[in-house]
């Protein structure tokens, strides 16, 4: 890829920022913290200036770094919980809220974090089970189990409708 370091960063930002924001939002549950996590992920990208064998590797690295930034922020701010999870407006904070029917968006928002993130990454962001496993530091079988549990919970939440 020819071009300056600034071009590479701009291209990465345009390619990944929206996806990373949606993923961060599933962890952070509010726009400001999600934006901060994505910002921190891009700071790491700029500081480390990693080289990737292909776009898939770069995309997976960006997702993993973003997830790590979210987890770090959640640990740092554990005492600073502004809003109980029950009071969060799921429609405005769901990872793909505007693109989904509100019932599905609400049901996704009620899934436990571990189930919600694998569901978003696999079904809405298009990552394979193996890629999701690498990004979430778990095994492919654990991802499959989480996806299965998430589907069951969503089916139940939606009144038995297949998803």
């Amino acid at each position: 890829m020819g071009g300056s370091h600034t071009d590479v960063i701009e291209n990465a930002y345009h390619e990944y920022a929206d996806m990373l924001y949606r993923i961060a939002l599933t962890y952070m549950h509010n726009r400001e913290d999600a934006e901060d996590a994505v910002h921190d992920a891009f700071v790491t990208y700029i500081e480390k200036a990693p080289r990737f064998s292909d776009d898939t590797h770069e995309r997976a690295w960006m997702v993993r770094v973003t997830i790590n930034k979210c987890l770090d922020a959640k640990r740092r701010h554990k005492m600073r919980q502004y809003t109980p999870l029950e009071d969060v407006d799921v429609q405005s904070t769901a990872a793909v809220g505007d693109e989904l029917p509100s019932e599905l968006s609400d049901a996704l928002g009620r899934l436990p974090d571990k189930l919600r993130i694998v569901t978003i990454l696999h079904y809405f962001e298009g990552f394979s089970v193996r890629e999701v496993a690498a990004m979430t530091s778990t095994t492919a079988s654990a991802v499959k189990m989480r996806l299965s549990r998430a589907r069951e919970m969503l089916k139940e939440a939606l009144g038995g409708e297949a998803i």
Side-chain angles (χ1 to χ4, degrees):
M1 184 187 298
S4 71
H5 186 63
T6 302
D7 290 341
V8 171
I9 293 166
E10 281 184 28
N11 289 340
Y13 182 82
H14 290 296
E15 182 72 24
Y16 305 118
D18 289 342
M19 175 190 61
L20 297 176
Y21 173 75
R22 289 189 303 268
I23 291 167
L25 202 50
T26 66
Y27 276 93
M28 305 309 294
H29 305 293
N30 72 65
R31 295 182 190 287
E32 294 81 13
D33 289 344
E35 289 169 355
D36 288 347
V38 172
H39 174 267
D40 292 347
F42 275 100
V43 168
T44 300
Y45 181 80
I46 292 166
E47 289 174 349
K48 294 196 182 280
R51 301 246 185 246
F52 302 102
S53 56
D54 56 36
D55 290 344
T56 302
H57 183 222
E58 180 179 48
R59 182 172 82 149
W61 186 91
M62 292 297 297
V63 170
R64 182 70 246 166
V65 169
T66 302
I67 290 170
N68 287 342
K69 296 299 180 184
C70 291
L71 295 173
D72 291 347
K74 286 182 94 163
R75 278 191 290 271
R76 271 193 319 273
H77 300 297
K78 197 156 186 112
M79 298 301 195
R80 178 189 67 102
Q81 299 261 330
Y82 295 119
T83 308
L85 188 55
E86 308 82 59
D87 297 340
V88 172
D89 178 2
V90 177
Q91 182 62 32
S92 67
T93 61
V96 288
D98 294 342
E99 302 168 15
L100 296 176
S102 63
E103 301 84 29
L104 180 55
S105 179
D106 290 346
L108 276 170
R110 288 190 302 270
L111 288 176
D113 284 349
K114 286 182 177 185
L115 302 183
R116 183 174 48 251
I117 193 62
V118 297
T119 301
I120 298 295
L121 288 171
H122 183 67
Y123 290 114
F124 298 101
E125 297 299 340
F127 289 102
S128 71
V129 168
R130 189 174 269 154
E131 289 171 322
V132 173
M135 291 174 199
T136 57
S137 300
T138 189
T139 64
S141 62
V143 169
K144 289 176 187 176
M145 177 76 72
R146 290 175 185 177
L147 289 170
S148 176
R149 277 192 283 170
R151 283 192 306 271
E152 285 302 312
M153 291 175 78
L154 289 170
K155 185 176 178 181
E156 187 176 310
L158 298 171
E161 294 179 34
I163 54 170

